[in-house]
């Protein structure tokens, strides 16, 4: 899917104004522990193929189905909540409060019926019309703050902010805050110069609350980037499926850092150009 161009003289004036926002958080927090395992298939040198001028955000709504249900029923906020599949057969989404009770995604509904009967957890049937409407609203909000957007999924949007003056982190925070203010949907933002790295930064933003839900990969010093990759499982790399992940793990590649250190020529010879580009 290609980016949809949203560039116009009027919108660019608004974006320049947004670009004057000041940063509100330190992206170089010391909270990520150090761990740097060696790879058996080390790259000869770090490639310089990335375009540092490109800036991409991935905005991902947190617990989207549950968040939408809380929008129309504020009494659900703070309570354990699960959203069931179409036939109410199993769990499609759940909140951290429900997860703390031992409920898991994909769990059959009958397995936690007692918790429902005891009033310890709330449940709702899937309402895809509602979720689709909220998703469109979020895309509309972002379209007023970006050069181009791509609706990747119902709860994820890639946003191109290349060329917008000011601090990208501040703009990412402004997007997150506006989505919550206008739609009451919490979100996390990952910022980088490729979609793959933006996805990784978004994953880290979810796992590390100290960053306030926004991580700008471009602001992290190289040793911070390596530490972040060293504690992130290989499965979090966008585009690596289960079978490919198992093949890589059989070679001792367990983390994102292990994968990043591999020789691109070896990857291309064994798996092709797509994984080499990843």
């Amino acid at each position: 899917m290609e980016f949809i161009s949203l560039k116009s003289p009027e919108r660019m004036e608004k974006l320049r104004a947004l670009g004057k926002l000041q940063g509100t958080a330190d992206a170089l927090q010391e909270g990520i522990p150090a761990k740097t395992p060696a790879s058996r298939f080390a790259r000869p040198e770090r490639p310089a193929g990335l375009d540092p001028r490109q800036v991409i955000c991935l905005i991902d709504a947190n617990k989207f189905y549950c968040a939408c249900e809380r929008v129309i029923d504020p009494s659900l906020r703070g309570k354990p909540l699960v959203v069931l599949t179409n036939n109410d057969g199993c769990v499609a989404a759940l909140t951290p409060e429900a997860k703390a009770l031992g409920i898991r995604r994909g769990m059959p509904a009958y397995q936690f019926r007692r918790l429902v009967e005891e009033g310890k957890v709330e449940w709702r049937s899937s309402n895809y019309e509602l979720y689709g409407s909220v998703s469109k609203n979020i895309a509309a909000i972002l379209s007023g703050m970006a050069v181009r957007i791509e609706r990747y999924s119902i709860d994820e949007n890639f946003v191109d902010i290349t060329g917008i003056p000011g601090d990208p982190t501040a703009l990412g925070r402004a997007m997150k805050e506006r989505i919550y203010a206008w739609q009451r949907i919490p979100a996390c933002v990952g910022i980088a110069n490729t979609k793959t790295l933006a996805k990784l930064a978004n994953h880290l933003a979810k796992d590390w609350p100290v960053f306030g839900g926004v991580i700008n990969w471009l602001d992290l010093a190289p040793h911070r980037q390596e530490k972040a990759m060293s504690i992130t499982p290989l499965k979090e790399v966008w585009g690596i499926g289960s079978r490919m992940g198992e093949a890589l793990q059989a070679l001792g590649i367990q983390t994102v850092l292990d994968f990043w250190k591999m020789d691109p020529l070896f990857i291309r010879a064994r798996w092709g150009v797509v994984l080499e580009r990843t």
Side-chain angles (χ1 to χ4, degrees):
M1 182 182 296
E2 295 297 326
F3 277 117
I4 303 170
S5 179
L6 297 166
K7 193 170 182 179
S8 69
E10 295 80 7
R11 179 163 288 129
M12 288 306 293
E13 286 300 320
K14 294 180 181 179
L15 295 177
R16 291 189 183 95
L18 283 170
K20 296 178 182 178
L21 294 172
Q22 297 300 313
T24 57
D26 181 9
L28 301 177
Q29 293 284 350
E30 299 289 332
I32 301 177
K35 180 183 177 184
T36 309
S39 172
R40 294 165 53 194
F41 305 96
R43 62 169 67 244
E45 61 182 14
R46 185 173 183 177
L50 301 181
D51 183 355
R53 297 168 298 178
Q54 179 172 268
V55 185
I56 301 293
C57 299
L58 175 65
I59 294 89
D60 185 6
N62 300 337
K63 312 298 180 184
F64 183 61
Y65 291 178
C66 294
C68 290
E69 296 294 342
R70 286 173 168 175
V71 168
I72 62 173
D73 186 356
S75 69
L76 296 173
R77 293 175 185 170
K79 296 180 180 179
L81 172 65
V82 299
V83 173
L84 301 178
T85 51
N86 284 332
N87 59 357
D88 293 341
C90 60
V91 177
L94 71 163
T95 62
E97 297 89 350
K99 189 174 182 179
L101 296 175
I103 303 174
R104 295 293 181 266
R105 187 174 180 179
M107 178 183 287
Y110 72 84
Q111 292 187 5
F112 60 91
R113 177 181 295 177
R114 179 175 296 179
L115 291 174
V116 175
E117 293 173 347
E118 294 174 352
K120 294 181 179 179
V121 63
E122 300 284 343
W123 69 275
R124 294 290 186 272
S125 298
S126 296
N127 185 344
Y128 293 108
E129 184 177 356
L130 167 66
Y131 310 150
S133 176
V134 174
S135 177
K136 290 179 181 178
N137 290 345
I138 291 175
I141 291 170
L142 294 172
S143 70
M145 306 176 73
V147 177
R148 295 178 294 171
I149 67 168
E150 177 185 332
R151 294 183 65 193
Y152 176 65
S153 67
I154 196 169
D155 60 346
E156 293 178 288
N157 290 274
F158 283 108
V159 176
D160 186 351
I161 60 172
T162 304
I164 297 178
D167 179 16
T169 306
L171 183 55
R173 291 192 180 281
M175 292 176 179
K176 170 183 168 66
E177 291 165 4
R178 184 173 293 186
I179 290 170
Y180 188 79
W182 291 10
Q183 203 61 51
R184 282 295 183 266
I185 298 294
C188 284
V189 181
I191 305 170
N193 55 350
T194 71
K195 292 180 181 179
T196 303
L197 287 173
K199 282 277 258 184
L200 177 61
N202 187 281
H203 168 76
L204 295 171
K206 290 179 183 292
D207 277 4
W208 294 90
V210 68
F211 289 97
V214 179
I215 287 185
N216 185 349
W217 186 259
L218 304 175
D219 277 353
L220 297 178
H223 70 283
R224 292 288 173 217
Q225 293 178 350
E226 290 200 14
K227 287 180 181 179
M229 290 189 288
S230 73
I231 60 172
T232 305
L234 177 67
K235 65 180 182 179
E236 298 301 335
V237 177
W238 186 34
I240 293 184
S242 58
R243 292 183 61 184
M244 187 177 294
E246 290 173 0
L248 287 166
Q249 289 172 355
L251 297 175
I253 310 303
Q254 301 295 328
T255 68
V256 177
L257 182 62
D258 293 338
F259 177 67
W260 178 78
K261 286 188 172 183
M262 292 183 72
D263 184 349
L265 296 180
F266 172 81
I267 294 176
R268 182 169 188 168
R270 182 150 184 179
W271 287 285
V273 68
V274 174
L275 191 61
E276 178 194 18
R277 290 172 179 167
T278 297

